[in-house]
């Protein structure tokens, strides 16, 4: 582990822990450098001017974006992630063996030769795919945006691409599936984002590292290919609001900060307000997400994958960020057997969503549809439960939800709604006594507590804070109350 002191935007200082997250995906362990904010380092002082390094490929601007598109992204808060590709056909099983690893990595850890894997293309025929139905389900679940894998590491493209034959056009399905998808979601009022993997197991010019001139030449060809595809996506689907890059941890990419810089620049030339995640980027020295001066690259921090910041992490609230989460422990693409790991309950997921919003972040919940274009029952059930909850509470505590700048509480989370200016508590741990103890920062006094349509009684204890009397029939499921302070 190497600790680096980095300057933060807007006069804040932050320490980034660049831990080499080694996740074994089967046989070949991968190294992913993910930045993580270290909260107990608040207050470390250092001189910002002396440490500023001249960078050609560092952050392209400094500070939070305030244009309408970014404000919309921020207000959306809750998104659906979709992993769909050839890996959705075998679903984690190959030649009668079920593999425990993430299903979208099966080709890699089951050591399936490219020629064998790539032939799945001739089986890809999602004849039960109904884009309108998908969008309807997403909307009913409360999702305001969606991020779909246009190309995962396997290299297969869900859209008819001019630059490869390894695409939807050359499957039995033939049609432009991505267009059906974009049209249906857009029609339903859901913003569309594209996931695109830089890492490509199928492309002959992809390199893990650059060791000589030949690698360098090949990789420059790969770069042109990726850039062409991305501009093609933007041109063919002008509704797309942004790009979610992945597969950017290999040495080849880190040694070529200029490529990641150029891609961001090229996308912004076409659409100045396009939204790009930080994972795309590496700077002149291979620093990822944050450049060597500690400035965020891309438009928001996208390092929180399958975990969240700590409840009291106030540094993360200073930047835009997004977490992505699986429903089982670690399956993104469709896996046939979910009994192999813990599968989160709807309440567990709700708590992760609220926690994220309470820290000023966005949350992407992943779905892995099957090869035939249908969703597994567990995902439909989760969608149902989440959707029910969202229909009651999301307008108050999810959309436009933000960090409330109040003390973290054991019963749940405070959220501030930036649209209404109102403050809420979201309760996950209902006290048996029905007396909810809340604390407020020094100088703030509780004035009114609203629960559904009633005003609740409360009493103040000098040292312990306020005790709010909850009604006898308070639901034993996550609920909200509103507080007015003076
Ligand atoms: C790639 C590599 C590792 C070590 C962990 C996850 C990933 C990919 N990122 C997620 C968003 C999925 O796409 C997963 O395949």
């Amino acid at each position: 582990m190497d600790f680096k002191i980095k300057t933060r935007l807007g006069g804040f200082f932050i320490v980034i822990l660049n831990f080499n997250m080694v996740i074994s995906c089967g046989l070949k362990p991968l190294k992913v450098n993910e930045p993580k904010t270290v909260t107990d380092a608040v207050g470390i002082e250092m001189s910002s001017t002396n440490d500023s390094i001249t960078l050609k490929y560092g952050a392209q601007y400094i500070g939070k974006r305030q244009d309408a598109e970014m404000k919309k992204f921020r207000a959306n808060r809750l998104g659906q992630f979709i992993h769909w590709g050839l890996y959705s056909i075998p679903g984690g099983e190959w030649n009668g063996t079920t593999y425990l690893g993430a299903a979208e990595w099966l080709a890699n850890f089951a050591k399936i030769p490219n020629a064998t894997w790539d032939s799945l293309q001739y089986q890809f025929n999602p004849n039960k795919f109904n884009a309108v139905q998908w969008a309807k389900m997403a909307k009913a679940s409360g999702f305001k945006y969606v991020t779909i894998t246009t190309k995962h590491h396997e290299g297969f493209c869900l859209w008819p691409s001019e630059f490869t034959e390894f695409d939807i056009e050359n499957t039995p399905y033939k049609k432009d599936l991505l267009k059906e998808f974009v049209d249906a979601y857009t029609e339903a009022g859901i913003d569309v984002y594209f996931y695109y993997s830089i890492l490509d197991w199928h492309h002959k010019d992809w390199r893990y590292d650059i060791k000589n001139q030949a690698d360098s030449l090949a990789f420059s060809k790969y770069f042109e290919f990726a850039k062409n595809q991305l501009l093609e996506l933007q041109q063919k689907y002008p509704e797309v609001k942004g790009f979610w890059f992945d597969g950017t941890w290999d040495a080849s990419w880190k040694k070529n900060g200029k490529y990641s810089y150029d891609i961001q620049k090229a996308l912004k030339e076409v659409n100045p307000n396009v939204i790009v995640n930080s994972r795309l980027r590496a700077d002149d020295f291979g620093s990822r997400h944050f450049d060597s001066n500690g400035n965020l690259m891309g438009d928001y921090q996208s390092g929180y994958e399958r975990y969240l910041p700590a409840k009291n992490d106030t540094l993360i609230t200073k930047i835009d960020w997004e977490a992505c989460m699986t429903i089982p422990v670690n399956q993104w693409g469709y896996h046939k057997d979910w009994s192999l790991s813990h599968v989160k309950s709807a309440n567990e997921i709700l708590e992760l969503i609220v926690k994220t919003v309470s820290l000023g972040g966005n949350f992407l919940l992943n779905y892995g549809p099957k090869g035939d274009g249908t969703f597994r029952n567990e995902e439909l059930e989760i969608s149902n439960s989440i959707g029910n909850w969202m229909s009651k509470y999301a307008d108050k505590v999810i959309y436009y939800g933000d960090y409330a700048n109040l003390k973290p509480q054991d019963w749940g989370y405070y959220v501030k709604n930036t649209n209404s200016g109102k403050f809420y508590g979201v309760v996950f741990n209902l006290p048996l006594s029905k007396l909810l103890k809340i604390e407020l920062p020094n100088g703030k006094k509780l004035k009114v507590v609203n629960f559904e349509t009633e005003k609740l009684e409360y009493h103040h204890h000098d040292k312990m804070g306020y005790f709010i009397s909850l009604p006898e029939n308070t639901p034993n499921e996550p609920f909200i109350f509103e507080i007015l302070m003076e």
Side-chain angles (χ1 to χ4, degrees), residues 207-210 219 248-256:
R207 293 292 181 277
Y208 291 91
D209 200 354
I210 311 293
F219 202 63
T248 48
W249 47 78
D250 286 309
S252 53
W253 195 250
K254 288 196 284 181
K255 284 177 183 173
N256 280 287

Side-chain angles (χ1 to χ4, degrees), residues 188-212:
I190 298 172
D191 293 338
V192 178
Y193 289 76
F194 289 160
Y195 167 110
Y196 185 92
S197 173
I198 293 293
L199 164 63
D200 193 317
W201 298 328
H202 172 88
H203 200 285
K204 64 176 174 37
D205 295 321
W206 166 261
R207 293 292 181 277
Y208 291 91
D209 200 354
I210 311 293
K211 293 194 173 127
N212 50 46

Side-chain angles (χ1 to χ4, degrees), residues 332-403:
W332 300 89
Y334 173 69
H335 193 290
K336 286 178 185 168
D337 191 355
W338 270 17
S339 72
L340 299 172
S341 84
H342 172 72
V343 178
K344 294 174 192 71
S345 67
N347 275 5
E348 243 178 304
I349 294 165
L350 282 176
E351 181 158 2
L352 294 168
I353 296 170
V354 172
K355 182 180 176 188
T356 298
V357 172
S358 80
L359 291 168
N362 281 29
F363 191 92
L364 269 184
L365 182 64
N366 185 69
Y367 289 70
K370 301 178 198 172
D372 67 2
T374 60
F375 288 96
R376 68 191 313 136
N377 285 334
E378 293 95 326
E379 289 178 349
L380 295 173
E381 264 176 51
I382 290 282
S383 263
N384 237 327
S385 313
I386 290 180
N388 275 336
W389 196 87
M390 292 299 161
S391 67
K392 283 184 245 169
Y393 305 116
D395 281 332
K396 291 181 174 130
V397 297
I398 303 296
Y399 315 135
Y400 291 97
D402 211 339
Y403 175 55

Side-chain angles (χ1 to χ4, degrees), residues 21 23-25 30 32 81 83 102 104-105 149 152-153 195 244 246-247 249 279 305-306 324 330 332:
M21 192 170 78
I23 303 177
S24 60
C25 277
L30 278 168
V32 186
F81 209 173
H83 275 71
E104 75 284 358
W105 274 77
T149 50
H152 201 263
H153 311 335
Y195 167 110
W244 204 104
D246 200 11
W249 47 78
R279 198 177 292 204
E305 179 165 322
R306 300 191 296 115
C324 56
N330 184 22
W332 300 89

